[in-house]
Protein backbone atom coordinates (compact mmCIF):
# COMPACT_ATOMS: atom_id res chain seq x y z
CA UNK A 1 0.00 0.00 0.00
CA UNK A 2 3.03 2.29 0.00
CA UNK A 3 2.30 5.52 -1.88
CA UNK A 4 -1.40 4.70 -2.18
CA UNK A 5 -4.03 7.39 -1.61
CA UNK A 6 -6.76 6.53 0.91
CA UNK A 7 -9.86 8.17 -0.54
CA UNK A 8 -12.66 5.80 0.47
CA UNK A 9 -13.63 2.22 1.19
CA UNK A 10 -15.75 1.88 -1.94
CA UNK A 11 -12.67 1.09 -4.01
CA UNK A 12 -10.49 -0.46 -1.28
CA UNK A 13 -10.09 -4.21 -1.63
CA UNK A 14 -11.04 -6.61 1.18
CA UNK A 15 -7.36 -7.64 1.30
CA UNK A 16 -6.24 -4.05 1.91
CA UNK A 17 -8.96 -3.54 4.54
CA UNK A 18 -7.77 -6.69 6.29
CA UNK A 19 -4.20 -5.48 6.13
CA UNK A 20 -5.09 -2.15 7.75
CA UNK A 21 -7.05 -3.88 10.54
CA UNK A 22 -4.25 -6.36 11.26
CA UNK A 23 -1.64 -3.59 11.30
CA UNK A 24 -3.87 -1.47 13.57
CA UNK A 25 -4.09 -4.34 16.05
CA UNK A 26 -0.30 -4.56 16.10
CA UNK A 27 0.06 -0.79 16.50
CA UNK A 28 -2.41 -0.80 19.38
CA UNK A 29 -0.43 -3.50 21.19
CA UNK A 30 2.88 -1.80 20.46
CA UNK A 31 1.85 1.60 21.81
CA UNK A 32 -0.03 0.09 24.74
CA UNK A 33 2.96 -1.79 26.12
CA UNK A 34 5.52 0.99 25.79
CA UNK A 35 6.07 3.83 28.25
CA UNK A 36 7.62 5.86 25.47
CA UNK A 37 4.93 5.71 22.79
CA UNK A 38 7.07 7.33 20.10
CA UNK A 39 8.26 4.94 17.40
CA UNK A 40 10.67 5.64 14.54
CA UNK A 41 8.60 4.14 11.72
CA UNK A 42 8.05 7.51 10.02
CA UNK A 43 11.09 9.41 11.25
CA UNK A 44 11.97 12.08 8.68
CA UNK A 45 8.47 12.13 7.15
CA UNK A 46 6.31 15.28 7.12
CA UNK A 47 2.51 15.16 7.38
CA UNK A 48 0.14 18.12 7.05
CA UNK A 49 -3.42 17.95 8.41
CA UNK A 50 -5.52 20.37 6.34
CA UNK A 51 -9.00 20.74 7.82
CA UNK A 52 -11.54 22.95 6.09
CA UNK A 53 -14.21 21.80 8.59
CA UNK A 54 -14.06 21.67 12.37
CA UNK A 55 -12.94 18.43 14.00
CA UNK A 56 -11.80 17.22 17.39
CA UNK A 57 -11.53 13.43 17.22
CA UNK A 58 -10.28 12.94 13.68
CA UNK A 59 -7.73 15.74 13.59
CA UNK A 60 -6.38 14.97 17.07
CA UNK A 61 -6.07 11.26 16.40
CA UNK A 62 -4.29 11.82 13.06
CA UNK A 63 -1.92 14.21 14.83
CA UNK A 64 -1.23 11.71 17.61
CA UNK A 65 -0.87 8.87 15.11
CA UNK A 66 1.72 10.76 13.11
CA UNK A 67 3.68 11.81 16.18
CA UNK A 68 3.57 8.32 17.72
CA UNK A 69 5.14 7.06 14.48
CA UNK A 70 7.91 9.67 14.68
CA UNK A 71 6.74 11.95 11.86
CA UNK A 72 6.68 15.74 11.91
CA UNK A 73 3.04 16.88 11.90
CA UNK A 74 1.63 20.31 11.10
CA UNK A 75 -2.04 21.29 11.47
CA UNK A 76 -3.66 23.82 9.16
CA UNK A 77 -7.23 25.00 9.83
CA UNK A 78 -9.15 26.94 7.18
CA UNK A 79 -10.13 29.64 9.68
CA UNK A 80 -6.48 30.53 10.35
CA UNK A 81 -5.11 29.98 6.84
CA UNK A 82 -5.08 32.02 3.64
CA UNK A 83 -8.38 30.34 2.73
CA UNK A 84 -9.96 32.95 5.00
CA UNK A 85 -8.47 35.58 2.64
CA UNK A 86 -9.99 33.96 -0.43
CA UNK A 87 -7.26 31.52 -1.45
CA UNK A 88 -8.56 28.67 -3.63
CA UNK A 89 -8.32 25.01 -2.70
CA UNK A 90 -5.97 24.42 -5.62
CA UNK A 91 -3.59 27.17 -4.50
CA UNK A 92 -3.68 25.92 -0.91
CA UNK A 93 -2.74 22.43 -2.11
CA UNK A 94 0.07 23.71 -4.31
CA UNK A 95 1.42 25.80 -1.43
CA UNK A 96 1.43 22.82 0.91
CA UNK A 97 2.99 20.61 -1.76
CA UNK A 98 5.80 23.14 -2.24
CA UNK A 99 6.79 22.65 1.40
CA UNK A 100 8.03 19.15 0.54
CA UNK A 101 5.53 17.18 2.61
CA UNK A 102 4.96 13.42 2.30
CA UNK A 103 1.24 13.23 3.10
CA UNK A 104 -1.81 15.45 3.25
CA UNK A 105 -4.67 14.48 5.56
CA UNK A 106 -7.63 16.51 4.35
CA UNK A 107 -11.19 17.22 5.45
CA UNK A 108 -13.43 19.31 3.22
CA UNK A 109 -17.14 20.04 2.93
CA UNK A 110 -17.24 19.19 -0.79
CA UNK A 111 -17.72 15.62 -2.00
CA UNK A 112 -14.74 14.56 -4.09
CA UNK A 113 -12.36 17.12 -2.60
CA UNK A 114 -9.79 14.47 -1.66
CA UNK A 115 -9.90 13.02 -5.16
CA UNK A 116 -9.46 16.53 -6.55
CA UNK A 117 -6.38 17.01 -4.36
CA UNK A 118 -4.65 14.02 -5.97
CA UNK A 119 -4.59 15.93 -9.29
CA UNK A 120 -2.29 18.63 -7.88
CA UNK A 121 -0.06 17.02 -5.28
CA UNK A 122 2.50 14.23 -5.41
CA UNK A 123 2.10 13.48 -1.71
CA UNK A 124 -0.13 10.71 -0.39
CA UNK A 125 -3.67 12.07 0.16
CA UNK A 126 -5.74 10.66 3.00
CA UNK A 127 -9.41 11.56 3.06
CA UNK A 128 -10.49 12.63 6.55
CA UNK A 129 -14.03 13.27 5.35
CA UNK A 130 -15.35 14.89 2.17
CA UNK A 131 -18.88 16.24 2.48
CA UNK A 132 -21.43 13.43 2.69
CA UNK A 133 -19.27 11.14 0.53
CA UNK A 134 -16.85 9.07 2.65
CA UNK A 135 -14.82 8.99 5.86
CA UNK A 136 -12.64 5.91 5.31
CA UNK A 137 -10.63 5.86 8.53
CA UNK A 138 -13.85 6.11 10.58
CA UNK A 139 -15.19 3.13 8.67
CA UNK A 140 -11.98 1.22 9.33
CA UNK A 141 -11.94 1.97 13.05
CA UNK A 142 -15.56 0.86 13.30
CA UNK A 143 -14.65 -2.42 11.59
CA UNK A 144 -11.77 -2.87 14.02
CA UNK A 145 -14.06 -2.25 17.00
CA UNK A 146 -16.58 -4.82 15.75
CA UNK A 147 -13.86 -7.41 15.17
CA UNK A 148 -12.38 -6.90 18.62
CA UNK A 149 -15.74 -7.44 20.28
CA UNK A 150 -17.24 -10.19 18.11
CA UNK A 151 -14.13 -11.95 16.83
CA UNK A 152 -15.17 -11.62 13.22
CA UNK A 153 -17.22 -9.36 10.98
CA UNK A 154 -18.53 -11.83 8.40
CA UNK A 155 -22.10 -12.93 9.09
CA UNK A 156 -22.83 -10.23 11.70
CA UNK A 157 -25.98 -8.13 11.45
CA UNK A 158 -25.08 -4.45 11.72
CA UNK A 159 -27.83 -1.84 12.09
CA UNK A 160 -26.90 1.74 11.20
CA UNK A 161 -29.47 4.14 12.58
CA UNK A 162 -30.08 7.83 12.03
CA UNK A 163 -29.12 10.53 9.55
CA UNK A 164 -27.89 8.43 6.64
CA UNK A 165 -28.59 11.19 4.12
CA UNK A 166 -25.86 13.53 5.35
CA UNK A 167 -23.46 10.90 6.69
CA UNK A 168 -20.07 10.15 5.17
CA UNK A 169 -19.58 7.71 8.06
CA UNK A 170 -22.60 5.68 6.95
CA UNK A 171 -21.30 5.29 3.40
CA UNK A 172 -17.81 4.20 4.47
CA UNK A 173 -19.32 1.79 6.98
CA UNK A 174 -21.64 0.27 4.40
CA UNK A 175 -18.87 -0.31 1.86
CA UNK A 176 -16.48 -1.71 4.46
CA UNK A 177 -19.01 -3.94 6.19
CA UNK A 178 -20.32 -5.45 2.95
CA UNK A 179 -16.79 -6.17 1.72
CA UNK A 180 -16.01 -7.94 4.98
CA UNK A 181 -19.14 -10.09 4.77
CA UNK A 182 -21.53 -8.39 7.19
CA UNK A 183 -25.29 -7.99 6.75
CA UNK A 184 -26.16 -4.27 6.80
CA UNK A 185 -29.51 -2.77 7.79
CA UNK A 186 -30.28 0.96 7.72
CA UNK A 187 -32.97 2.48 9.94
CA UNK A 188 -34.50 5.94 10.15
CA UNK A 189 -37.09 8.30 8.64
CA UNK A 190 -37.72 8.05 4.90
CA UNK A 191 -36.47 11.61 4.53
CA UNK A 192 -33.05 10.70 5.97
CA UNK A 193 -32.32 7.51 3.98
CA UNK A 194 -31.65 7.93 0.24
CA UNK A 195 -33.53 5.32 -1.81
CA UNK A 196 -30.50 4.65 -3.97
CA UNK A 197 -28.69 3.07 -1.03
CA UNK A 198 -30.70 -0.09 -1.72
CA UNK A 199 -28.45 -0.52 -4.77
CA UNK A 200 -25.45 -0.82 -2.43
CA UNK A 201 -26.82 -4.11 -1.08
CA UNK A 202 -28.34 -3.01 2.22
CA UNK A 203 -31.79 -3.51 3.74
CA UNK A 204 -33.72 -0.34 4.59
CA UNK A 205 -36.22 -0.06 7.44
CA UNK A 206 -38.35 2.90 8.44
CA UNK A 207 -39.21 1.32 11.78
CA UNK A 208 -36.09 1.36 13.96
CA UNK A 209 -37.37 -1.68 15.83
CA UNK A 210 -37.18 -3.78 12.64
CA UNK A 211 -33.65 -2.59 11.88
CA UNK A 212 -32.20 -3.47 15.29
CA UNK A 213 -34.08 -6.75 15.86
CA UNK A 214 -31.44 -9.46 16.52
CA UNK A 215 -28.63 -7.09 15.57
CA UNK A 216 -25.07 -7.86 16.66
CA UNK A 217 -24.09 -4.21 16.30
CA UNK A 218 -26.08 -0.97 16.51
CA UNK A 219 -24.19 2.01 15.11
CA UNK A 220 -26.04 5.23 15.93
CA UNK A 221 -25.34 8.25 13.75
CA UNK A 222 -25.50 11.86 14.82
CA UNK A 223 -28.46 13.88 13.61
CA UNK A 224 -26.58 16.59 11.74
CA UNK A 225 -28.74 19.52 12.76
CA UNK A 226 -26.39 21.98 11.03
CA UNK A 227 -27.09 20.30 7.66
CA UNK A 228 -30.82 19.74 8.11
CA UNK A 229 -33.40 21.36 5.90
CA UNK A 230 -36.84 22.10 7.24
CA UNK A 231 -39.33 19.25 7.11
CA UNK A 232 -36.98 16.25 7.28
CA UNK A 233 -38.56 15.31 10.62
CA UNK A 234 -41.15 17.12 12.78
CA UNK A 235 -39.19 18.04 15.92
CA UNK A 236 -36.17 16.72 17.87
CA UNK A 237 -38.57 15.45 20.54
CA UNK A 238 -40.57 13.50 17.97
CA UNK A 239 -37.40 12.06 16.43
CA UNK A 240 -36.18 10.88 19.84
CA UNK A 241 -39.56 9.30 20.58
CA UNK A 242 -39.89 7.43 17.30
CA UNK A 243 -36.32 6.75 16.20
CA UNK A 244 -34.03 7.35 19.19
CA UNK A 245 -32.05 4.40 20.56
CA UNK A 246 -32.94 3.82 24.20
CA UNK A 247 -32.74 0.91 26.64
CA UNK A 248 -36.17 -0.40 25.68
CA UNK A 249 -35.44 -0.54 21.96
CA UNK A 250 -31.97 -1.99 22.55
CA UNK A 251 -33.58 -5.06 24.16
CA UNK A 252 -34.64 -6.11 20.65
CA UNK A 253 -31.01 -6.62 19.64
CA UNK A 254 -28.87 -9.59 20.64
CA UNK A 255 -27.87 -9.93 24.28
CA UNK A 256 -24.22 -9.17 23.52
CA UNK A 257 -25.01 -6.25 21.21
CA UNK A 258 -22.28 -3.70 20.56
CA UNK A 259 -23.35 -0.03 20.54
CA UNK A 260 -21.27 2.47 18.61
CA UNK A 261 -21.47 6.18 17.74
CA UNK A 262 -18.92 8.17 15.69
CA UNK A 263 -19.43 11.31 17.82
CA UNK A 264 -20.08 13.96 18.72
CA UNK A 265 -23.36 12.78 20.26
CA UNK A 266 -26.67 14.56 20.60
CA UNK A 267 -27.56 12.84 23.85
CA UNK A 268 -31.29 12.53 24.31
CA UNK A 269 -31.90 12.90 20.57
CA UNK A 270 -30.50 9.99 18.54
CA UNK A 271 -29.21 8.12 21.61
CA UNK A 272 -30.22 8.14 25.26
CA UNK A 273 -27.56 8.78 27.94
CA UNK A 274 -28.25 5.34 29.46
CA UNK A 275 -27.32 3.65 26.17
CA UNK A 276 -24.41 5.99 25.39
CA UNK A 277 -22.74 5.27 28.72
CA UNK A 278 -24.15 1.79 29.27
CA UNK A 279 -22.41 -1.58 29.42
CA UNK A 280 -22.88 -2.28 25.70
CA UNK A 281 -21.28 0.97 24.59
CA UNK A 282 -17.90 0.95 22.83
CA UNK A 283 -17.85 4.67 22.06
CA UNK A 284 -14.67 5.39 24.04
CA UNK A 285 -12.99 2.34 22.55
CA UNK A 286 -13.78 3.68 19.08
CA UNK A 287 -11.75 6.79 19.89
CA UNK A 288 -8.85 4.63 21.07
CA UNK A 289 -9.07 2.48 17.95
CA UNK A 290 -9.09 5.62 15.82
CA UNK A 291 -5.49 6.36 16.77
CA UNK A 292 -4.42 2.77 16.02
CA UNK A 293 -6.16 2.71 12.63
CA UNK A 294 -4.67 6.05 11.61
CA UNK A 295 -1.24 4.84 12.68
CA UNK A 296 -1.79 1.79 10.48
CA UNK A 297 -2.90 3.85 7.48
CA UNK A 298 0.01 6.29 7.79
CA UNK A 299 2.61 3.57 8.27
CA UNK A 300 1.34 1.41 5.41
CA UNK A 301 1.24 4.29 2.93
CA UNK A 302 4.37 6.18 4.02
CA UNK A 303 6.88 3.84 5.64
CA UNK A 304 10.00 2.97 3.65
CA UNK A 305 9.84 -0.63 4.88
CA UNK A 306 7.01 -3.10 5.31
CA UNK A 307 5.23 -2.64 8.66
CA UNK A 308 3.02 -5.68 9.03
Amino acid sequence: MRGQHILGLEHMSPADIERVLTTAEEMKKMVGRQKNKKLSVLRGKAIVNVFFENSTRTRSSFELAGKYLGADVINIAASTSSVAKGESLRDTLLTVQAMGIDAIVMRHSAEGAAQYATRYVKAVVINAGDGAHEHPTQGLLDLLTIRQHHGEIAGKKVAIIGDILHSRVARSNVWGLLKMGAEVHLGGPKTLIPKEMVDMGVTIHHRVEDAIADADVVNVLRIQLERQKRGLFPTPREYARIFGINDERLKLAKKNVLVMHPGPMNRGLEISPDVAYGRFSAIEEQVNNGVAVRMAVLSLTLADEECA
Side-chain angles (χ1 to χ4, degrees):
M1 293 177 66
R2 188 173 188 277
Q4 180 178 319
H5 302 302
I6 306 296
L7 305 178
L9 298 191
E10 180 180 1
H11 302 295
M12 185 178 283
S13 70
D16 279 346
I17 291 174
E18 177 65 34
R19 192 173 178 195
V20 171
L21 299 183
T22 301
T23 304
E25 288 171 339
E26 290 301 313
M27 290 293 178
K28 192 172 180 180
K29 291 176 187 174
M30 206 180 301
V31 170
R33 63 173 174 250
Q34 291 187 188
K35 289 184 179 179
N36 180 6
K37 292 181 171 61
K38 202 154 190 176
L39 309 175
S40 59
V41 177
L42 295 184
R43 181 181 295 165
K45 302 293 184 180
I47 300 168
V48 176
N49 295 330
V50 185
F51 277 64
F52 295 89
E53 288 186 317
N54 293 332
S55 170
T56 299
R57 292 159 187 78
T58 304
R59 192 182 72 174
S60 298
S61 61
F62 263 115
E63 182 177 2
L64 277 174
K67 289 180 176 178
Y68 283 169
L69 291 167
D72 294 311
V73 182
I74 298 172
N75 292 313
I76 298 176
S79 60
T80 57
S81 73
S82 292
V83 171
K85 300 176 183 178
E87 184 175 71
S88 69
L89 173 58
R90 178 178 178 177
D91 285 343
T92 298
L93 293 168
L94 291 174
T95 299
V96 171
Q97 173 68 39
M99 296 176 185
I101 49 87
D102 299 288
I104 295 176
V105 178
M106 190 172 86
R107 170 169 290 188
H108 200 281
S109 60
E111 287 84 356
Q115 177 71 52
Y116 175 84
T118 65
R119 294 165 54 184
Y120 298 105
V121 300
K122 296 178 182 178
V124 168
V125 176
I126 299 173
N127 183 9
D130 58 334
H133 176 227
E134 280 220 47
H135 191 352
T137 56
Q138 180 69 46
L140 290 165
L141 74 89
D142 288 344
L143 290 173
L144 178 63
T145 306
I146 293 169
R147 188 157 86 169
Q148 287 181 340
H149 276 259
H150 287 304
E152 60 181 354
I153 298 168
K156 300 302 179 188
K157 177 180 177 179
V158 180
I160 303 175
I161 309 297
D163 188 354
I164 312 294
L165 177 65
H166 300 102
S167 179
R168 51 194 170 215
V169 173
R171 286 163 179 78
S172 287
N173 265 268
V174 168
W175 288 122
L177 287 163
L178 292 175
K179 289 185 178 189
M180 301 307 286
E183 176 186 336
V184 183
H185 294 248
L186 307 181
K190 290 182 180 180
T191 52
L192 292 181
I193 304 181
K195 294 179 181 178
E196 60 267 23
M197 294 201 78
V198 173
D199 297 334
M200 294 174 69
V202 304
T203 303
I204 292 176
H205 305 272
H206 299 301
R207 288 187 73 253
V208 168
E209 291 83 358
D210 295 335
I212 66 178
D214 295 318
D216 298 284
V217 180
V218 176
N219 196 349
V220 189
L221 301 179
R222 180 174 70 89
I223 298 300
Q224 299 187 36
L225 297 172
E226 74 278 10
R227 301 183 197 271
Q228 296 292 338
K229 297 178 181 178
R230 293 180 62 185
L232 293 180
F233 55 85
T235 65
R237 179 179 291 183
E238 281 296 289
Y239 182 92
R241 184 178 67 83
I242 300 171
F243 299 103
I245 302 302
N246 52 36
D247 277 333
E248 197 59 34
R249 285 198 172 101
L250 202 59
K251 290 177 183 177
L252 297 169
K254 289 187 178 173
K255 291 182 179 179
N256 63 337
V257 65
L258 178 69
V259 176
M260 303 196 298
H261 192 300
M265 292 183 286
N266 295 307
R267 291 171 297 172
L269 180 54
E270 71 263 3
I271 189 169
S272 71
D274 288 346
V275 172
Y277 302 113
R279 63 192 180 96
F280 300 112
S281 174
I283 295 170
E284 288 188 14
E285 186 175 348
Q286 284 175 270
V287 176
N288 184 259
N289 284 339
V291 177
V293 160
R294 285 153 188 146
M295 288 179 71
V297 166
L298 290 171
S299 64
L300 287 169
T301 56
L302 294 177
D304 294 325
E305 298 178 3
E306 293 291 323
C307 298

